[in-house]
Every structure is written in structure tokens, then in C-alpha cells.
Amino acid sequence: MKKSLLAIAAMTAFAGAAQAQSSVTVYGILDVAAIGQTNSGNLNSTASTVPAALAGANSTGGSTIKPGSTFGISSNGESMSRLGFKGSEDLGGGTKAIFTLEQGFSPSTGELGNTGILNQGKSANISGDSSIQGQLFNRGAFVGLSNDKFGTLTAGRQQNLMLDNIGNYDPVTAFAVSPLQYSGSYGGAGRTDEARVDGALKYVWKSNGFNANLLYAPGGFASQTTMGTTSGAQVGYEAGKFGIQAIASHTTDAMNLSAGQNTTTTLGSINPNTQSINVNFYTNTVVNTTAYMLTAKYQATDSLVFKGGYERELIGTPSNFQNYNLATTTGGVALSNVAGQTNYFVNVAWIGAQYQLTPTIKVSGAYYYAGTPQAGTAAPAACSGPTLTAFSSNSGGCTGTAQYEALVVDYSLSKRTNLYALLGNTTLTGGQKYSYATTAGGATTSTLSGQQTYGIGMRHTF
């Protein structure tokens, strides 16, 4: 009997020790807000008509072509709501096997995060194009090995190095008012679809404050080794009160999706004030992208942190467009592939601060600038950007600027729960302005040159 009891005790102890060698953590964020916006589409609707420069995180573009003021309960005012699973297993010698599965979703609708462009019949809860298109684990799904000395190597769907970096160097990390958060193009080195990269290998190394990171994702296309590939490199230093990071990223044949008007519709029969966009037809613009980012932060006092950065995006003609079908129709969805016709660049800069006013109140403010110089002496064919037939256009490729001011006040109820109030302003000039038709057939148009966003919300982490 004694031997049996000793055997059971030994087995129990062994099982406990084995269990301690591995762990799985469930984590997440729930963020819901009451949001108001001017020059916005409908909140939580089914189609996107408002351009990225105006959209914000909460405006989904709406189902009508004519924008206006809106107010409603929306998701993800400060952070994107998510549910994640991460785990590790101790393999000995300072090495662990690790994995992460993470999905973003909309608490106000209960749906997975998506734009509605590729998910016919589902409500859009992200404005414009996005790397999050209703995948089960849309924010990340990867597995790898981590070593205390040699770093971490992972494989799967992962964030671009620039998107990784933005989270630490954006002064206002609020999806509703910070363009670095709601527009994935900055984290995607020029195209939002590349903010999260499928089939990517990522290496991360840190030692004594220094870090070096690499990312590579082969395209996987037959007979075309460069088509659809993404690569990136990062070096930096963070210790004490100071941090600085430098990153370079390139994608060959990056894609950008935009919803369009069904070509079978008679233009003169459409009332732009009420007509819904037909998202069964959309355009994929293919370009090469190269971007460079430099960011820095400084802890001036125990309560005050300054953060800023600069990014230069170079958008060019694609390398392998001849391998794309010009037009395809699958499952009732019509896709038109077009090639970027000109080379241009975008200068992006931001600066701001975070101030811990009291132990429970934090104030964050920032200014953001994005400017697109004119390419060449005449307006190139691609300067008009994505166009919705004769009704609306966002000439994002032309000369123009987008300027943003953002302010957020956080009040902590506990370590995991906070209330927040936010305010944002957008000003557009030149080709960044947004035009839309005010009469049927597009005979008369109006131009939008800005947007204001305001709201209050609650965020809980677990």
C-alpha cells in the first residue's frame, strides 16, 4: 500500500513538473465607444466610400455615396478588440517553443474584423482596404523557437516590422484619431495589405538594449521568385530614458483593394444620395513599395514622454504585373487588376507626447503629417487614385497633404480597465481632398477637405 501511495505521489509530482514546463495564456481587449464624426459614412455598415485619409477607425464608409455627420456606438475607439492565445514550452538550455493565435473583432457587431470588400454579405467594421479581411486569426498566427541568447525565429502570419514598431513610437495609440493606427499603409510600408504578412519568417534579437530584426516572406508563385515577396530589416537601441529605431521594408507587387461601382449600372439612373455601392465589383491596384522609417522617444521626466518619427514611402510600378489576369469573376465577385502607372513618394512625419497627469489620468497629444509631391510635370494617369465611377474619387496619388491633430485623455479605473475621451481633426489639401457627386450622373460635385472625430469609450484588457 505504501509503495502504491509513493508511486502515485511520484507520478503526480512528475506530472506537475511536466505541466510547469509549458503554458498557454488566453488574453484579449474589449473596446467599445460612442463616436461622432463629420464627413463620414455610416458606422458599422456594409460598404466603403470614404477614403482612408478621412475614414478613421470607426467610419466604415457607409452604404451611401454622399458622406455626412454621424454618431453611434462603435468598436475599437482606442484599441482594436481582440482575442488571443499564446503558449510556450520549455525545451531546456534556454530554448522554448512558442506560438501565438490572435483575432481582431468588433464588439458592437460580434463579427471578425473585416472591410466588407472580400466578405460579401458581412458587415464592414474597418474602413477602406485592410490586411484584416475576416480571417479566423486575422491579427496573427505563427509558431517558432525562442532562445535566451540567440533570439527568436517565428514563421506564419505576422506583423510587418514597421507595424511592430509603430505601437511603441506613436504618441496617441488610439484607433479613432491616430492615422498610424487606423491607416495600415504606414505600418505596411505604403500599402495596408502588407501591414500583416502571410507566410513570413521573422527573426528578433535583443541584447543589452540593442536589437536587430529581420523579416522575409516569399511570394510562392510558380516561375516568379520575386512576385509578392516582402522583406525588411530593423536595428535599434532602447535603454533607460531613450529609444531609437531604423527600419527598411520592401514589397514586390503589393496589392491595394478598393470597392467600385458595378459596370452594368446605368450612370444616369443612380441617385448619389441614396444609391448603395455594389461591393461585388472591386479593383486591385498592383505596385512595388519601398519604405524607410526612423523613430525616437525620450523620457523627459517620470511623467512626460516625447515620441516622434519619420517615414518615406516610395510607390512604384509593379515588377510582375504581366502575370496577373486583367479581370476575373469568382463566386459572383468581379476583380479588375490594374498596374500603378507612375512612381511617386510620400513623406510622413509625426511628433507628440504622453503626460501622466495623476496616477489615474494620462493625457496624450500628437500632430501627424503626410505629404505626396506631384510625380513629374503633368498629372500622371494613376494620379486620380481609386475611383468610384463618376461619383467619387480620392486623388491620393496627386500633390497634396493630409494633416492630423489628435488628443486622448485616459482615466484608469484599475490596472485592466480604463475610460477615455478622444478628439481628432483632419485637414486635407490639394489632391488629398475627396470629391463626391451631389446630383445623379455626377454632373455636380462637392469637395471635402477635412473631418472631425470625437467620442468617449471604455476599454478592458484580460
Side-chain angles (χ1 to χ4, degrees), residues 285 338-344 374-375 378-387 395 397-398:
T285 304
V338 298
Q341 298 295 312
T342 188
N343 300 319
Y344 64 94
Q374 178 66 62
C383 195
S384 60
T387 301
S395 48
C398 297

Side-chain angles (χ1 to χ4, degrees), residues 13-390:
F14 177 78
Q19 187 177 9
Q21 300 302 309
S22 61
S23 65
V24 175
T25 301
V26 180
Y27 64 94
I29 297 176
L30 286 168
D31 187 321
V32 178
I35 297 290
Q37 284 182 321
T38 63
N39 295 332
S40 171
N42 297 340
L43 292 176
N44 301 320
S45 190
T46 58
S48 178
T49 63
V50 179
L54 282 177
N58 304 89
S59 166
T60 62
S63 58
T64 58
I65 294 174
K66 183 179 179 180
S69 296
T70 184
F71 180 84
I73 302 299
S74 188
S75 304
N76 312 328
E78 190 165 42
S79 301
M80 185 171 192
S81 298
R82 68 200 69 171
L83 175 65
F85 308 86
K86 59 183 177 181
S88 66
E89 180 185 11
D90 194 340
L91 302 178
T95 301
K96 295 180 180 179
I98 60 173
F99 77 87
T100 294
L101 300 169
E102 185 173 301
Q103 58 181 214
F105 64 94
S106 169
S108 60
T109 64
E111 293 183 319
L112 290 175
N114 71 85
T115 67
I117 295 178
L118 293 181
N119 296 275
Q120 306 305 313
K122 293 183 178 180
S123 297
N125 47 56
I126 299 173
S127 60
D129 191 17
S130 172
S131 60
I132 295 177
Q133 292 283 4
Q135 304 96 327
L136 178 59
F137 296 110
N138 45 38
R139 290 180 57 86
F142 56 86
V143 65
L145 295 173
S146 177
N147 182 270
D148 296 339
K149 181 178 180 180
F150 298 108
T152 300
L153 179 65
T154 50
R157 176 175 170 82
Q158 305 182 72
Q159 291 191 159
N160 191 304
L161 297 179
M162 290 189 170
L163 184 59
D164 278 340
N165 187 59
I166 280 175
N168 292 324
Y169 288 86
D170 184 3
V172 178
T173 55
F175 265 56
V177 293
S178 169
L180 299 183
Q181 302 297 322
Y182 66 70
S183 177
S185 63
Y186 304 119
R191 284 295 180 265
T192 184
D193 282 325
E194 311 311 320
R196 290 175 174 84
V197 187
D198 289 337
L201 292 170
K202 181 187 286 186
Y203 173 71
V204 176
W205 173 84
K206 296 180 181 180
S207 179
N208 297 319
F210 293 95
N211 65 272
N213 307 331
L214 297 171
L215 181 141
Y216 177 70
F221 290 92
S223 303
Q224 295 293 336
T225 57
T226 64
M227 185 175 175
T229 60
T230 297
S231 57
Q234 176 180 359
V235 293
Y237 176 80
E238 292 185 7
K241 298 182 177 182
F242 179 73
I244 186 169
Q245 299 289 332
I247 311 171
S249 182
H250 174 79
T251 297
T252 302
D253 306 315
M255 297 185 292
N256 187 69
L257 293 169
S258 56
Q261 190 69 41
N262 191 318
T263 55
T264 62
T265 303
T266 302
L267 298 183
S269 65
I270 298 177
N271 181 348
N273 296 326
T274 60
Q275 179 65 34
S276 296
I277 292 295
N278 187 340
V279 294
N280 288 329
F281 174 80
Y282 57 97
T283 299
N284 173 36
T285 304
V286 185
V287 295
N288 285 355
T289 65
T290 301
Y292 306 95
M293 178 183 288
L294 180 66
T295 59
K297 60 182 178 181
Y298 177 68
Q299 181 98 34
T301 68
D302 291 341
S303 302
L304 181 62
V305 181
F306 292 99
K307 297 183 178 182
Y310 171 76
E311 180 179 355
R312 183 177 176 87
E313 302 172 354
L314 295 91
I315 313 299
T317 55
S319 298
N320 301 285
F321 185 72
Q322 70 276 8
N323 295 291
Y324 286 85
N325 293 323
L326 293 181
T328 59
T329 302
T330 303
V333 177
L335 169 66
S336 175
N337 289 309
V338 298
Q341 298 295 312
T342 188
N343 300 319
Y344 64 94
F345 60 89
V346 181
N347 289 317
V348 183
W350 67 93
I351 189 169
Q354 299 172 341
Y355 183 68
Q356 195 71 43
L357 186 63
T358 71
T360 58
I361 299 176
K362 183 176 74 173
V363 181
S364 305
Y367 167 79
Y368 307 85
Y369 169 92
T372 306
Q374 178 66 62
T377 56
C383 195
S384 60
T387 301
L388 303 178
T389 319

